Amino acid sequence: MTSDAIQPCPVADAHRRLMDCHAQWHILHDSYLEPDGFRLNLNSLVSNLRSVTWLLQKQKAVIPDFATWYPEFQEACKKSEIMGWVVKSRNRITKESDLELLSSCQVVWTRNWVQRAEGTATFPPRMSTSEIVRALHHSNTPPVGLITVRRKWVDKALPSWELLAATAEAHSWLSQILWRAHKAFGVGSCDLADRPVECVTSVLRSTLTRPPCMDLTRSELQAHFTMSGGVVKEEVKPFDPDPANLEAAEERYGQLKFPTSGPIDSVPGFMAMARTMMEKDGHHSTIAFLYNQDRGVATRGLQFDGQNTKMLAFEGLADLVESTRADGIVIISESWLAVPTEREKELKTIFFPARDRLDRTEGLTVYAATRDGRQVELLSMIERGPNGEASCGEPVEVTFPAGANTLTPIRRKWDDMEKRGL
Ligand SMILES: [Zn+2]
Ligand SMILES: [Zn+2]
């Protein structure tokens, strides 16, 4: 019988070591973009993963039925590519040359919304990010825009696995083995103390599944930098669908009518909603609604404080378009508007962001685009009262859409998906 009560840990040395591995896995994750730190942390994590079963076997004389259930795990481990790799790595330190062979380092340079240059595997994985930024300075890359560095680490001895996924998988195996050991003692939860990192607790998993904190949706990790080497953070937040918030919203804005048709037809409805909120709050955050076959599939609030972070937010949104297979999008945003010059009209482009122009005006826009090429945008001009209170003008359809630039990453993504048959 396994008891629900918290009991002293029967295999404390092994269990504590597994918790060390969990904490170390996050350190490995955090050092992913720097080659030296990554290699150092990888070597130490692998050797700690290896030692969990040693510590367990030291206690085999006192673990009930050890001789019956442990060999089963040993057999399964022998067949597992991952556990085989961990065991073989016992006397082997992963060297730079072992990692260099199959890892990749891709650099994307984004000048502005339209111009984007991709260089794949231009840089050897051993190069640090600051070395990459320096090398770009010495090349012909203009000193503006944004650099995205994407990395993927693979060990020569385990060619089909990315290393964060591999070590997370090894952690799951060991968690399952320790769960079984606790069960042999009739212990469900043990008393080992939680660690400062919130997710590092004594909880063990009975099946070969990863804790949510180790679930990686991307097969590679990336970071963004300005050409001067400064780090740029991407921020795309899930919209909070808490019913309590909706209730509070109703109290504040009255009955809001949420449009229920497809993206293009919903634009007037969203505009009515946005005007109500704008006049009440004096501002409106940028929100994106994603659709698949006229059904809402995701909602995101976008935050940015400048042109670079804005580009990132929309690039992130384009990734979400792919993962949700969205074929339509509606965006509500409050923005600075530029009156395009004749030259800009002729070239169908805006040279300076509206926020940097003296003749800028303020507007509330709702725009929609679909994968099959439809696009519509409504604009309501905002006038400010003496205390900043906003009043929204009658919406008009615009022919020189303000949203055109921000949709570039989305359209690029749709083209790309088409080519890949998605
Ligand atoms: Zn324990
Ligand atoms: Zn965790």
Side-chain angles (χ1 to χ4, degrees):
M1 269 289 287
T2 303
S3 159
D4 287 339
I6 293 175
Q7 296 174 62
C9 183
V11 287
D13 288 344
H15 197 170
R16 233 179 255 123
R17 187 64 55 89
L18 182 73
M19 289 170 72
D20 292 345
C21 291
H22 183 166
Q24 238 177 351
W25 186 90
H26 286 288
I27 296 171
L28 183 70
H29 181 271
D30 292 345
S31 63
Y32 204 83
L33 292 156
E34 286 307 329
D36 286 336
F38 183 79
R39 195 165 40 80
L40 217 66
N41 288 316
L42 176 71
N43 283 324
S44 129
L45 172 57
V46 169
S47 97
N48 276 331
L49 285 167
R50 173 64 185 128
S51 64
V52 172
T53 48
W54 287 342
L55 292 169
L56 187 69
Q57 283 173 43
K58 270 194 188 165
Q59 277 187 277
K60 67 180 172 194
V62 295
I63 301 174
D65 301 328
F66 191 78
T68 13
W69 61 264
Y70 191 71
E72 253 174 61
F73 272 112
Q74 256 178 331
E75 270 313 298
C77 279
K78 266 186 204 149
K79 286 184 196 137
S80 149
E81 198 186 4
I82 292 292
M83 292 312 280
W85 170 73
V86 169
V87 171
K88 268 190 236 133
S89 298
R90 168 185 168 187
N91 294 319
R92 178 182 152 258
I93 294 292
T94 307
K95 298 181 195 70
E96 196 178 82
S97 55
D98 299 331
L99 285 175
E100 183 78 352
L101 200 63
L102 298 162
S103 303
S104 63
C105 174
Q106 186 190 23
V107 175
V108 180
W109 174 69
T110 312
R111 180 186 189 129
N112 53 34
W113 292 103
V114 191
Q115 289 164 297
R116 183 181 159 98
E118 295 225 9
T120 309
T122 319
F123 293 92
R126 68 167 176 278
M127 267 178 96
S128 72
T129 302
S130 52
E131 285 168 338
I132 291 171
V133 173
R134 262 205 304 280
L136 285 172
H137 274 285
H138 288 126
S139 69
N140 289 327
T141 315
V144 290
L146 204 64
I147 304 161
T148 301
V149 178
R150 293 193 188 126
R151 288 187 184 274
K152 181 178 178 181
W153 290 114
V154 178
D155 181 5
K156 190 172 81 176
L158 189 67
S160 52
W161 284 78
E162 182 282 321
L163 285 167
L164 278 179
T167 45
E169 181 79 5
H171 178 274
S172 304
W173 272 94
L174 296 168
S175 177
Q176 200 187 12
I177 293 172
L178 290 195
W179 174 84
R180 185 64 187 81
H182 281 65
K183 191 173 170 241
F185 284 98
V187 174
S189 329
C190 74
D191 63 351
L192 289 188
D194 295 348
R195 301 288 173 88
V197 178
E198 204 182 329
C199 58
V200 184
T201 66
S202 64
V203 173
L204 295 165
R205 304 175 84 83
S206 62
T207 56
L208 201 59
T209 49
R210 292 184 205 164
C213 62
M214 290 191 190
D215 237 337
L216 293 174
T217 46
R218 285 182 202 224
S219 59
E220 60 199 1
L221 289 183
Q222 59 180 18
H224 312 278
F225 306 88
T226 59
M227 276 299 280
S228 55
V231 180
V232 181
K233 289 245 177 287
E234 61 186 314
E235 260 197 279
V236 179
K237 287 190 175 163
F239 194 66
D240 190 357
D242 187 343
N245 285 349
L246 292 180
E247 239 168 69
E250 206 172 292
E251 207 159 282
R252 182 162 175 80
Y253 307 110
Q255 276 282 355
L256 288 174
K257 253 217 181 117
F258 198 88
T260 51
S261 40
I264 299 285
D265 295 338
S266 292
V267 168
F270 275 121
M271 178 51 101
M273 221 171 85
R275 284 171 74 192
T276 308
M277 294 171 84
M278 180 80 206
E279 291 187 344
K280 193 85 190 171
D281 298 338
H283 61 87
H284 202 300
S285 48
T286 303
I287 303 173
F289 300 90
L290 271 57
Y291 291 80
N292 179 293
Q293 296 190 335
D294 292 349
R295 236 174 14 87
V297 286
T299 307
R300 287 289 183 277
L302 274 63
Q303 291 179 346
F304 37 84
D305 53 16
Q307 195 69 358
N308 281 337
T309 41
K310 190 172 180 182
M311 286 199 291
L312 269 188
F314 279 88
E315 292 289 349
L317 196 61
D319 287 340
L320 189 67
V321 162
E322 173 165 339
S323 62
T324 58
R325 295 292 188 276
D327 56 13
I329 187 164
V330 174
I331 292 157
I332 305 178
S333 113
E334 180 194 353
S335 45
W336 296 113
L337 304 166
V339 182
T341 60
E342 288 310 311
R343 179 80 180 132
E344 284 173 328
K345 269 188 202 157
E346 196 182 301
L347 294 173
K348 290 200 166 63
T349 185
I350 293 274
F351 292 130
F352 298 103
R355 66 164 76 205
D356 297 339
R357 294 159 84 115
L358 287 175
D359 60 350
R360 65 187 190 182
T361 50
E362 200 182 355
L364 183 64
T365 58
V366 178
Y367 51 102
T370 59
R371 188 170 168 170
D372 58 20
R374 288 172 292 152
Q375 187 166 328
V376 63
E377 174 166 343
L378 282 181
L379 165 69
S380 156
M381 297 304 292
I382 296 165
E383 298 223 355
R384 295 280 177 182
N387 300 315
E389 61 273 35
S391 81
C392 301
E394 211 40 53
V396 288
E397 196 166 321
V398 283
T399 45
F400 194 90
N405 271 342
T406 53
L407 288 174
T408 308
I410 315 284
R411 290 245 175 261
R412 189 190 293 127
K413 178 62 82 180
W414 277 330
D415 286 347
D416 183 50
M417 286 165 70
E418 201 68 46
K419 276 184 213 137
R420 288 183 291 136
L422 293 178

